[in-house]
Every structure is written in C-alpha cells, then in structure tokens.
Amino acid sequence: MKTVYSPRHRLHADNQELNAGAILPAFELPARVDFILDRIAEVGLGPVLEAVPHDAVAAAARVHATDYLDFMADFWRLWLAEGRSGPTMPYVWPARGQRDIRPDHVNGLMGYYSFDGGGSFVEGTWEAVKSAVDSVLTAAEMIKDGEKAAYALCRPPGHHAGISTMGGYCFINNAATVAQWFRDNGAARVSILDIDYHHGNGTQEIFFGRDDVEFISLHADTAVAYPFFSGRADEIGIGEGEGFTHNFPMPFGTAWEGWSASFEAACRLIADFGPDVVVVSLGLDTFEGDPISRFKLRHEDYPKIGARLAKIGKPVLFVQEGGYAVADIGVNAVGVMTGFEGR
Ligand code: Q9C
Ligand code: ZN
C-alpha cells in the first residue's frame, strides 16, 4: 500500500495544551509521524511518497467557512502584531447565554473560531495544516486512478475541526475535505468511518444534513469522555441527512469483544449504503497503552480491523487522526494496513 505524507508537518511543533489544570507540551507530536514511517520501512508496507502541492485552501473551503480559513491564514500575522511569538491557546468562548458575535481582536477571534484550547498555533502551523490537505488529496488521486487503498499520513489530524471551529489538535478537517473531493470528482456516495477513540464531532457537524456522505463514528461515550458535547447515539442526522449519521458510544475499558461488535455493525451499515469509496478516520488512540484514552485494544486487534475493511470490497482511503502511545502507533497503524492487504 502506498503512503503519502508531507515533511512540512514538522512545522507544527512545540505546541501546548491544557490538561487537567496544567499547561503541558501537546501530546500531538511530530514524532508520531516518525514512528509510523519507521514501522512502514521495517515491515516493507510499500512506497512512501511525498504529498503533491494542491490548492489546499480551495479544497477545504468546500467544507469549511471561508472566514474561518481566512482567520487561520492570517492568524500568525495578527499574533505577531500583538508583540507575541510563543505558542497560542484560545481561552474564551461564546458559551450559552452569550452572543454568537465575531470580535475584532485576536484574543477573541481565537475563541470565536474554536471549541476548546486544543487549537494551539505556532509560526508554522498553517503551512503544516495545508500540507496535511496536500497529503490527503494526493492519496485521493491514487484511489481515483485505481488503487484499492492508500494511506494519508496526515498531521495535524482533522476530525475535530468543524465548519468554523478548530480544537482537539485539529484545524482543517482532512477526512471531510477529501470526502467532499471524492463527491466533486465523480463519487455519488462516500462513507466516512471514524474509529478514533474520540467522537469525530467536526466531521459529524459538516455532513449532519446530508444524505450523500454517510458518517459513522465509534468512540468513548461522550457522557464521560472528550469532546463531551456530541457523539450520543441519538444524533442521527437532520433533514435530508436523517439516518445518515451513526454513533456508537462505548464505555471506558472497552476491549476487542465490545469494540468489534460496534465495528461489525458499522461495516454492515457501509455495505448497505453502497458508497463508491470509504474514508477511514484512523485514530490509534483506542490502544490499551494510549496515554490519554481508556479503551483496551491490543496490537493483534489492528490487523483484524484492516482485514474486515477489505471485506467490504470498496476502495479505502485511510486518513491519520489521533494516537499517542508514540512507540506503538507505528505498529498499530501498519497493522491495520497489512491486515487490509491480507498479509
Ligand atoms: N485528559 C485527537 O485524537 N484532550 N484529538 C483531552 C484528556 C483532547 C484528541 C484531555 C484530546 C484531543 C485527534
Ligand atoms: Zn482521538
């Protein structure tokens, strides 16, 4: 299987996050990509190709608001103009009872265009964000040209990014952007299967009212787990989209037995929908050793995921999302791919 990535992901580094009352270095690190690339080489998964530059912003604008994209493009200039240069973090949001009103100052804009403190910028963030879109579009072209599967090793991840909000380490929604790209390039129907530990709130928001892009998410029950404000089983879509969003929340401690029951149901939903292509939001934070998550999948489970996805018989574009047990994510990511290939 071919992997696509951009070395420009490295420009997004040394970010911070709010975690249990402390400001810590972000878990979402450049080393994540290195560990996956090392494992790809070790196992001989296949060629690793550099992303071809695309008009990433135009592709993203098919699913994100242009004022949001303009804000991110301009963000570092606004930050420097305030005399700052260190990593950023939003800190005030328009919550219930306040107005949905766009401020002029960068401090307010950060909050207006985010839903949590996980949208932390450094100087190179915007370049890295666009490079992840280049990766996913390059991989999509391979699928369009006949590959059965491709792996877009995106960083930063994307599935928490909504129409006009960053958060959860995400800025542009890579999976949503590529699903829309497939629709714009001949696919009648696209399924997005999100198997990251966290609910794919951004992707859900983007496609909630649509019947041409199905969204299925397996995740930790958001009654008790991040991102808390979406991901319940009763969220099924709205209007024309009713019945085309499917959520499978699962309790802390879920291991293969429970997880695979939801996964099997998800695979059947995909077969019923009959998409031209399946986009898999591939988070590896379901792993038992993940430092910020509480599922119990083991190394040997990941090839089984790939093998079942291959049985659907549709082209699959894997898009990297979360996964933070740094030394293990290479083994688990490549395990999905080798399982898909039946080796
Ligand atoms: N103590 C992705 O996996 N922090 N984003 C939760 C837990 C946010 C995860 C804090 C986690 C975001 C792409
Ligand atoms: Zn996650």
Side-chain angles (χ1 to χ4, degrees):
M1 189 184 308
K2 289 177 180 149
T3 300
V4 184
Y5 96 111
S6 169
R8 297 173 73 74
H9 80 84
R10 260 179 214 298
L11 294 167
H12 183 60
D14 303 319
N15 308 79
Q16 302 179 340
E17 70 176 58
L18 275 171
N19 197 309
I23 294 179
L24 300 174
F27 277 92
E28 202 288 288
L29 293 165
R32 298 172 62 244
V33 170
D34 299 332
F35 279 100
I36 295 172
L37 290 175
D38 287 351
R39 184 65 178 173
I40 287 170
E42 194 179 329
V43 169
L45 178 69
V48 176
L49 303 155
E50 261 194 47
V52 176
H54 283 72
D55 191 341
V57 175
R62 297 283 296 130
V63 294
H64 291 286
T66 51
D67 62 314
Y68 170 57
L69 297 170
D70 290 346
F71 162 73
M72 290 195 287
D74 205 26
F75 181 87
W76 198 253
R77 190 189 64 77
L78 296 173
W79 192 243
L80 292 180
E82 285 299 310
R84 310 211 187 92
S85 60
T88 71
M89 195 180 292
Y91 65 87
V92 59
W93 294 275
R96 284 178 313 287
Q98 293 182 287
R99 286 181 68 190
D100 183 8
I101 190 170
R102 187 183 187 278
D104 296 328
H105 193 280
V106 64
N107 290 357
L109 287 168
M110 280 191 289
Y112 182 70
Y113 289 116
S114 65
F115 66 88
D116 76 357
S120 171
F121 266 73
V122 295
E123 183 173 11
T125 295
W126 183 236
E127 287 307 312
V129 167
K130 289 186 290 179
S131 83
V133 177
D134 289 337
S135 294
V136 85
L137 295 178
T138 303
E141 283 161 356
M142 292 172 178
I143 300 268
K144 188 166 186 265
D145 292 344
E147 293 283 345
K148 287 299 294 171
Y151 179 24
L153 181 37
C154 294
R155 190 183 161 271
H159 75 146
H160 294 305
I163 295 169
S164 9
T165 48
M166 57 187 178
Y169 315 139
C170 303
F171 303 86
I172 285 178
N173 194 315
N174 304 305
T177 299
V178 80
Q180 183 62 48
W181 185 91
F182 279 121
R183 284 284 295 109
D184 294 340
N185 286 273
R189 282 180 303 283
V190 180
S191 293
I192 303 176
L193 174 59
D194 189 324
I195 59 171
D196 187 280
Y197 173 83
H198 304 98
H199 180 239
N201 58 298
T203 316
Q204 173 170 299
E205 180 200 353
I206 288 165
F207 296 111
F208 207 58
R210 289 174 51 171
D211 61 3
D212 57 331
V213 179
E214 173 187 56
F215 177 67
I216 307 172
S217 184
L218 277 60
H219 49 267
D221 183 359
T222 49
V224 288
Y226 180 93
F228 297 109
F229 303 106
S230 63
R232 312 304 169 86
D234 67 354
E235 295 160 24
I236 58 167
I238 194 160
E240 285 174 11
E242 194 174 322
F244 296 93
T245 288
H246 306 273
N247 283 301
F248 292 88
M250 288 172 274
F252 289 155
T254 295
W256 178 253
E257 193 184 351
W259 194 89
S260 61
S262 298
F263 180 60
E264 180 59 32
C267 290
R268 288 187 187 163
L269 284 169
I270 294 170
D272 292 346
F273 184 64
D276 297 293
V277 59
V278 181
V279 174
V280 175
S281 268
L282 180 63
L284 305 160
D285 35 16
T286 48
F287 179 57
E288 59 180 348
D290 192 274
I292 65 170
S293 307
R294 295 171 69 170
F295 279 179
K296 299 285 171 210
L297 266 55
R298 304 167 66 97
H299 286 308
E300 62 265 31
D301 297 330
Y302 291 89
K304 294 185 268 186
I305 297 172
R308 179 65 183 88
L309 291 170
K311 260 179 61 186
I312 296 173
K314 302 288 181 184
V316 175
L317 175 50
F318 293 97
V319 182
Q320 185 62 48
E321 302 285 1
Y324 309 98
V326 168
D328 297 286
I329 63 171
V331 174
N332 295 338
V334 177
V336 173
M337 307 307 157
T338 53
F340 185 91
E341 292 189 329
R343 64 181 172 117

